[in-house]
Amino acid sequence: MKQFQITPHILEFDHCTEVGEHFGIGAGDLVFISDRTYAQHFSGAISDAAYRVNYRSYVTGEPTDVMVEAIYADIKDYQYKRVFAIGGGTILDVAKLFALKNTVPVVELFNKELGISKDKELILIPTTCGTGSEVTNISILELTAINSKFGLAVDELYADYAVLVPELLSDLPMNVFATSSIDAFIHAIESYTSPKASAFSQLYSQKAMEMIINGYQTIAEKGPKARTPLLGDMMIASTFAGIAFGNAGCAAVHAMSYPLGAVYHVPHGEANYAIFTAVYKTYQALAPDGSIAELNAFLAGLLGCDTAAVYDALETLLDHILPKKSLRDYGVTRTDLEHFTEAVMTKQTRLMANNYVPLNEDQVRAIYQQLY
């Protein structure tokens, strides 16, 4: 049996002021937002009676269990009924945990040793075009105890409202646009070939891929500034990809990127791109006639190339957006490759279960070695 669902209500607004007017954000609301985003977009939309958490004062990189517990210690005495998160995937993932009745200890929560129930309304407002976290039931953290990223996926983490405001992308730097949108593109790719994919999820995957590739082709032709009129489409494409992978899951690309991100603090979308095409070329060699054949035909049509050249053509296009690096360029050592392989095979089973075809330890190691 396969199922498909879109749980959050999805709202679109032209301006941030409309968000404040619609929700009346104030007393009894916990709001995760950076000081910069607040000053630029929401200073008139959020009442001073709301409790604002400037998450950038707790972390500079990827979210961790330590960060969540530090925030919890500071806000635990504040009584709130709604949680708002306005930011990138980092903060959306963190805020989801504060809509739960029990948030800490975080490692126990992620190990499902705590009772998991949701007792606050959750409103997620993305400021990037990548994670799709606003429509998924997943929270990803780096668990410092195991030195790896880990995901908690339970329906209690779904938002009540996902709110899209393209205005929030207007000052997104090119490097952040690049890493976030590539993340969305890989969400669409991996969800398409997942064994959990359905005709419904694949429809969202395909539309996300089409919108992102069309945008990248425009940028490759006209330069980085050409992204500005595309930002609304890219935000919608990211949400489409989030709906797709929220139903069908991500797989080995994400699983293999997590150790790179956790150990060397490589931005998530960039780490995914470092791994992406090598995984799909491996899939292609192992089982060329399944859904990957459909994927390749679809991508070839968008890229204007032969199906055999799809992944090389993709790299050529994506390199206009974010140049690909080898693993050694990030400081990775050959010893790391063994540790990464072990981490993937033992700690990322949730993701590896969604592989297009199963990958064993030797195959995962070989992919890392190829990318080194």
Side-chain angles (χ1 to χ4, degrees):
M1 183 191 78
K2 295 180 179 179
Q3 66 174 11
F4 178 82
Q5 62 179 340
I6 303 174
T7 298
H9 296 280
I10 301 175
L11 305 180
E12 294 182 79
F13 295 97
D14 292 325
H15 303 291
C16 298
T17 53
E18 296 173 286
V19 178
E21 292 167 0
H22 180 85
F23 286 103
I25 307 170
D29 293 330
L30 180 66
V31 184
F32 291 83
I33 186 170
S34 71
D35 286 347
R36 181 171 178 268
T37 300
Y38 175 75
Q40 290 185 337
H41 298 287
F42 281 93
S43 60
I46 298 174
S47 165
D48 289 341
Y51 191 120
R52 282 192 290 121
V53 176
N54 175 23
Y55 57 89
R56 296 200 185 281
S57 65
Y58 294 89
V59 68
T60 56
E62 298 291 330
T64 69
D65 51 342
V66 174
M67 170 193 177
V68 172
E69 294 187 358
I71 295 173
Y72 178 82
D74 286 346
I75 63 95
K76 66 181 187 302
D77 295 326
Y78 177 68
Q79 300 298 312
Y80 59 97
K81 296 181 180 179
R82 297 190 298 182
V83 178
F84 289 81
I86 305 164
T90 292
I91 202 53
L92 302 191
D93 279 5
V94 167
K96 290 177 180 182
L97 305 178
F98 286 86
L100 301 178
K101 185 175 182 180
N102 300 306
T103 303
V104 299
V106 173
V107 172
E108 292 183 17
L109 175 67
F110 273 59
N111 286 335
K112 298 185 178 178
E113 296 167 1
L114 292 181
I116 298 178
S117 64
K118 180 182 175 187
D119 62 352
K120 289 100 177 172
E121 193 172 50
L122 180 63
I123 300 95
L124 301 180
I125 307 172
T127 59
T128 64
C129 51
T131 69
S133 185
E134 68 275 5
V135 289
T136 71
N137 66 338
I138 306 165
S139 177
I140 307 292
L141 292 181
E142 180 186 340
L143 300 185
T144 56
I146 62 173
N147 199 33
S148 185
K149 288 188 175 181
F150 201 75
L152 175 66
V154 292
D155 285 354
E156 288 82 359
L157 295 181
Y158 275 120
D160 296 282
Y161 294 94
V163 182
L164 306 183
V165 192
E167 179 182 77
L168 287 169
L169 272 59
S170 60
D171 56 353
L172 198 66
M174 181 60 192
N175 65 314
V176 180
F177 168 84
T179 58
S180 62
S181 59
I182 286 175
D183 187 24
F185 181 67
I186 293 173
H187 288 158
I189 294 274
E190 289 209 282
S191 59
Y192 188 90
T193 54
S194 167
K196 296 177 184 175
S198 67
F200 301 98
S201 69
Q202 287 179 327
L203 183 66
Y204 282 88
S205 297
Q206 286 181 317
K207 190 60 180 178
M209 285 185 262
E210 176 187 340
M211 293 173 78
I212 293 170
I213 285 179
N214 287 344
Y216 284 174
Q217 289 170 330
T218 298
I219 294 167
E221 178 184 353
K222 299 180 179 179
K225 290 184 179 179
R227 73 186 185 279
T228 302
L230 305 172
L231 293 175
D233 282 350
M234 286 297 195
M235 178 171 268
I236 291 172
S238 171
T239 301
F240 283 170
I243 291 168
F245 95 83
N247 280 276
C250 288
V253 177
H254 274 72
M256 293 182 66
S257 78
Y258 281 166
L260 178 61
V263 177
Y264 290 96
H265 309 294
V266 179
H268 178 56
E270 184 173 351
N272 278 336
Y273 180 34
I275 304 295
F276 163 49
T277 53
V279 169
Y280 270 77
K281 287 178 179 179
T282 300
Y283 286 161
Q284 174 73 23
L286 292 171
D289 298 324
S291 61
I292 199 168
E294 301 169 8
L295 172 69
N296 292 349
F298 178 74
L299 292 173
L302 296 175
L303 294 164
C305 69
D306 186 80
T307 55
V310 159
Y311 298 108
D312 291 333
L314 272 177
E315 284 201 359
T316 299
L317 178 61
L318 267 58
D319 277 348
H320 285 283
I321 310 302
L322 181 73
K324 183 178 177 179
K325 298 179 181 178
S326 67
L327 296 184
R328 68 164 61 88
D329 289 335
Y330 296 111
V332 174
T333 67
R334 289 201 175 273
T335 301
D336 285 331
L337 302 186
E338 294 300 321
H339 297 318
F340 287 5
T341 300
E342 180 185 6
V344 168
M345 300 308 296
T346 61
K347 297 169 184 171
Q348 301 299 341
T349 54
R350 177 183 67 86
L351 293 172
M352 295 294 281
N354 299 327
N355 289 350
Y356 166 64
V357 291
L359 297 178
N360 61 34
E361 182 175 337
D362 289 340
Q363 289 163 332
V364 168
R365 183 183 295 107
I367 292 170
Y368 278 134
Q369 289 172 342
Q370 175 187 338
L371 293 169
Y372 184 74

